[in-house]
Amino acid sequence: MSRILAKESTLVEMLGVSDRRVREVCKDFKVDTGKYLLIESVSHYIKTLKDEGKQEIANLRRADTELKEFRLKVLKNEYVPIDQIELAITDMQIRTKSKAMSIASEASSDVLGKTSRKEIELIIQKYVNEFLEEMANFNFGGGENEI
């Protein structure tokens, strides 16, 4: 193959790319400052475009597959919209606060008249344990104790 040389500016004009892109893609075919092997540089640029195109197609197919999988999961109700989650968490926070605040009034009648610190502590502990168990069994599905 004959060695036809082209200036960087000629390759820029022929390929319709920036001088930086020419330097990047054709660096292996540079023979002197600003001079490249013409045929090899153009061939390599075309191959690079094909490879980049194939990669882009693969990326698009992968993204399309992921989107289809996501849509399928949405249709199967495997995903919940964020506003429903925010509503459920807010409701749970309100219920938790309300239940925690009621412990004192509920326990007060049971501790009334008790003089033993240990006995009072056990009564309060009973109410706290009931509260914690109720919170542990909290269900986000709807209905009694549920969202």
Side-chain angles (χ1 to χ4, degrees):
M1 193 178 296
S2 64
R3 290 179 40 115
I4 302 171
L5 300 180
K7 292 181 186 177
E8 184 176 299
S9 60
T10 304
L11 287 173
V12 166
E13 190 176 325
M14 282 179 65
L15 302 175
V17 296
S18 68
D19 54 347
R20 182 178 184 176
R21 179 75 169 152
V22 167
R23 286 191 300 274
E24 177 185 298
V25 174
C26 303
K27 66 183 175 222
D28 294 338
F29 307 104
K30 185 175 184 176
V31 291
D32 199 7
T33 304
K35 293 185 180 177
Y36 297 84
L37 295 172
L38 176 66
I39 295 171
E40 291 84 349
S41 295
V42 171
S43 295
H44 184 69
Y45 179 72
I46 292 169
K47 181 185 178 310
T48 300
L49 284 179
K50 285 180 182 177
D51 292 346
E52 289 172 351
K54 288 176 185 175
Q55 186 60 46
E56 187 63 28
I57 288 170
N59 290 343
L60 288 172
R61 285 184 179 149
R62 188 174 6 296
D64 187 51
T65 301
E66 289 174 7
L67 180 60
K68 286 177 182 174
E69 289 171 358
F70 175 74
R71 286 181 177 159
L72 181 61
K73 288 180 179 183
V74 169
L75 290 172
K76 290 181 172 183
N77 289 325
E78 293 178 14
Y79 283 95
V80 179
I82 190 121
D83 59 332
Q84 287 182 8
I85 292 171
E86 289 171 344
L87 182 63
I89 289 172
T90 301
D91 187 49
M92 186 177 82
Q93 288 172 328
I94 291 169
R95 289 178 188 216
T96 301
K97 180 180 178 183
S98 173
K99 181 68 177 170
M101 297 300 288
S102 70
I103 290 174
S105 64
E106 291 174 6
S108 65
S109 62
D110 285 355
V111 297
L112 195 61
K114 305 291 182 195
T115 55
S116 164
R117 178 186 156 123
K118 187 66 175 171
E119 197 175 6
I120 293 171
E121 190 176 306
L122 287 172
I123 292 169
I124 294 171
Q125 188 63 50
K126 177 186 97 170
Y127 280 96
V128 170
N129 286 339
E130 287 174 4
F131 164 74
L132 292 174
E133 187 172 324
E134 187 175 325
M135 292 301 105
N137 294 326
F138 199 84
N139 187 350
F140 285 95
E144 179 75 25
N145 253 0
E146 300 175 352
I147 295 178

